[in-house]
Amino acid sequence: MTLALDEFVRRFLLHLLPKGFVRIRNFGFLANRKRATNLPLCFQLLGAAATPPAKQDKSGAGNASDLWLCPKYAGPMVVVERLTAVEIQL
């Protein structure tokens, strides 16, 4: 595909933000730096406080169903999709 110089510059400038604007993906309550403190606050303000993580027994004497519990919230984990090694590499 060949573009005229004017069209190339026009399309390139569409990706630049005007002065004073910021990229949204780096900010907000889901930003990496603040996520751990802001998400529990969001849940609390919404009235759906996250359940505290359950104490795990490190002895290794748990049953097989313990392997499918979330290590952080102790809720059941569900397999949504299984991928082959080839699909993971794509």
Side-chain angles (χ1 to χ4, degrees):
M1 178 174 163
T2 304
L3 293 175
L5 179 64
D6 294 339
E7 181 63 16
F8 174 80
V9 172
R10 184 189 75 80
R11 290 184 185 189
F12 178 81
L13 291 176
L14 286 174
H15 294 86
L16 297 179
L17 295 174
K19 187 174 183 176
F21 282 76
V22 292
R23 282 180 277 154
I24 295 173
R25 67 187 175 123
N26 295 331
F27 296 90
F29 69 94
L30 289 177
N32 283 338
R33 211 166 76 184
K34 295 285 187 172
R35 185 180 307 151
T37 57
N38 285 341
L39 273 181
L41 177 63
C42 289
F43 284 128
Q44 179 185 8
L45 293 174
L46 288 172
T51 58
K55 303 287 182 197
Q56 291 184 353
D57 184 19
K58 301 289 184 190
S59 65
N63 58 19
S65 65
D66 289 343
L67 297 176
W68 294 100
L69 292 179
C70 175
K72 186 170 184 179
Y73 297 107
M77 294 193 295
V78 179
V79 176
V80 176
E81 184 175 356
R82 292 183 187 265
L83 301 174
T84 65
V86 174
E87 292 172 328
I88 292 172
Q89 290 178 350
L90 292 179

